[in-house]
Amino acid sequence: QSALTQPASVSGSPGQSITISCTGASTYNLVSWYQQHPGEAPQLMIYEGNERPSGISNRFSASQSGNTASLTISGLQAEDEADYYCCSNGGGLNWVFGGGTKLTVL
Amino acid sequence: EVQLLQSGGVLVQPGESLRLSCAASGFTFTAFAMSWIRQAPGKGLEWVAAVDGEQTYYADSVRGRFTISRDKSKNTLNLQVSRLRSDDTAIYYCAKMDGKLIENWWFDFWGRGTLVTVSS
């Protein structure tokens, strides 16, 4: 199964935009993104590459091109500070998560 | 409202077996695939197993030791784990899956997790 690579950490100031990359996804499989605050369960933020579930702020957006997916958070807020994971089917009907990116809001 | 209620944390010795449970409500339990995902202390997420109808899928790291199943009469997802090792120590999350094509399924609702500690 293919591995998904994310940067270990990113940071930004309130109001700024940041982008988290996820490389290694198959061009045929769409990526989903999850947010996890310390001590909590992950929460779905993006599915099917760029769709947001009900209740998720439109400050969260995503794109996918080739084997790289990206999550962008605009208008950064303190509450966005969390770990973010990308996920994709790794082929052979198994699911692979990226290593996770810790977002720090300065 | 979708709810996934998981059993409490447990301490087991290496080599022992254990069954984890996840009680589902708020959706048609048999209409959706379900998964277990684990997270070792301070580490990232690792998909473990999934069940879709009668089909089951496993990560290479657990195939042969873990068995996923569901009790349709109780709307409960189970994970039977055997020959536990110290590196199985993790929070185990159950998650509901959704999507049109299985290759693009996602995990839309998660339980709060069960901490499994394997130690002598």
Side-chain angles (χ1 to χ4, degrees), chain A residues 93 95, chain B residues 27-35 49-58 67-72 76-78 95 97-98 102 105:
Chain A
L93 295 177
W95 285 264
Chain B
F27 64 102
T28 303
F29 182 60
T30 53
F32 295 90
M34 299 288 295
S35 268
V51 58
D52 173 36
E54 300 302 317
Q55 292 289 325
T56 56
Y57 310 96
Y58 297 95
T67 301
I68 188 172
S69 64
R70 50 172 137 199
D71 184 334
K72 300 172 187 177
T76 299
L77 179 71
N78 298 310
M97 303 183 79
D98 202 353
I102 187 171
W105 285 356

Side-chain angles (χ1 to χ4, degrees), chain A residues 34-46:
Chain A
Y34 304 84
Q35 176 192 65
Q36 186 180 34
H37 287 111
E40 296 184 5
Q43 179 184 14
L44 176 68
M45 305 301 285
I46 297 286

Side-chain angles (χ1 to χ4, degrees), chain A residues 10-70:
Chain A
V10 298
S11 62
S13 299
Q16 289 185 333
S17 294
I18 64 96
T19 297
I20 298 171
S21 62
C22 171
T23 60
S26 163
T27 54
Y28 302 103
N29 300 135
L30 299 174
V31 169
S32 54
W33 289 90
Y34 304 84
Q35 176 192 65
Q36 186 180 34
H37 287 111
E40 296 184 5
Q43 179 184 14
L44 176 68
M45 305 301 285
I46 297 286
Y47 64 96
E48 286 191 325
N50 59 7
E51 298 292 329
R52 279 179 288 105
S54 172
I56 300 302
S57 170
N58 58 10
R59 296 186 300 104
F60 291 84
S61 62
S63 63
Q64 189 167 346
S65 178
N67 72 340
T68 299
S70 299

Side-chain angles (χ1 to χ4, degrees), chain B residues 33-62:
Chain B
M34 299 288 295
S35 268
W36 288 96
I37 297 149
R38 68 182 178 181
Q39 186 171 34
K43 302 297 184 182
L45 301 171
E46 178 189 17
W47 173 79
V48 170
V51 58
D52 173 36
E54 300 302 317
Q55 292 289 325
T56 56
Y57 310 96
Y58 297 95
D60 290 344
S61 59
V62 305

